[in-house]
Amino acid sequence: MLREKVSHFKLYWHDLVSGSNATSITVIKAVNNTTPYFGMINIIDNPLTVGPNLSSKTVGKAQGLYASTGQKDVEILMVMNFAFTDGKYNGSTFTVLGRNNVPAKVREMPIIGGSGLFRFARGYVLATTYELSNTGDANIEYNAYVIHY
């Protein structure tokens, strides 16, 4: 009989929108150049590292999209898979789908499934902005709590 376990991961999500090695590209621009970028959609293939520096060990990628859904505030819909490429969880994924209220110090989003060692996954992530550059690049600390078998 398989037993449920809880795994905790502290990862850094690097959203690089500038430079020649961008990992996040805008595929639909904001409506009428509005702030807070209502209607903008970005596709991502962002590195996940164990430390806050981009040079830290990479253990996976966050692949998916985010869309700016707030007309008055910076609120985005996150749809992404955390795909592991190293270690015990290599080849396994879990899926995050939820509302990210960017101005909040800590944002909570649900984990709604997974594959590989995260099959039947559920849980949540807590996202905290670690660094935001003047070019728009973001470094977000993700604490993921994954219930899986």
Side-chain angles (χ1 to χ4, degrees):
M1 183 71 145
L2 294 175
R3 305 193 93 203
E4 282 188 333
K5 57 186 145 220
V6 178
S7 295
H8 171 245
F9 300 95
K10 182 177 183 177
L11 303 166
Y12 291 85
W13 182 91
H14 301 272
D15 193 52
L16 307 173
V17 298
S18 67
S20 60
N21 293 322
T23 61
S24 177
I25 60 166
T26 301
V27 293
I28 296 178
K29 294 189 186 277
V31 176
N32 299 324
N33 292 322
T34 59
T35 301
Y37 308 107
F38 179 63
M40 181 185 77
I41 299 176
N42 274 42
I43 301 297
I44 63 169
D45 187 14
N46 291 346
L48 295 170
T49 62
V50 296
N53 298 319
L54 192 54
S55 60
S56 300
K57 181 179 180 180
T58 299
V59 293
K61 348 180 198 189
Q63 296 175 312
L65 61 90
Y66 57 84
S68 180
T69 56
Q71 291 185 30
K72 295 185 187 304
D73 297 310
V74 184
E75 300 161 336
I76 55 180
L77 169 66
M78 307 292 295
V79 182
M80 60 186 167
N81 290 314
F82 278 37
F84 288 82
T85 57
D86 186 68
K88 173 182 177 182
Y89 299 104
N90 185 20
S92 298
T93 68
F94 61 81
T95 302
V96 175
L97 171 66
R99 177 180 179 260
N100 184 345
N101 181 23
V102 176
K105 182 174 177 165
V106 178
R107 290 89 67 191
E108 180 178 339
M109 292 167 276
I111 294 171
I112 62 164
S115 66
L117 293 176
F118 299 123
R119 195 172 292 132
F120 295 117
R122 65 190 193 282
Y124 64 97
V125 297
L126 298 174
T128 307
T129 301
Y130 182 82
E131 183 177 26
L132 181 60
S133 76
N134 58 1
T135 61
D137 294 343
N139 182 352
I140 310 298
E141 179 184 294
Y142 272 85
N143 277 281
Y145 297 89
V146 188
I147 301 169
H148 60 101
Y149 291 95

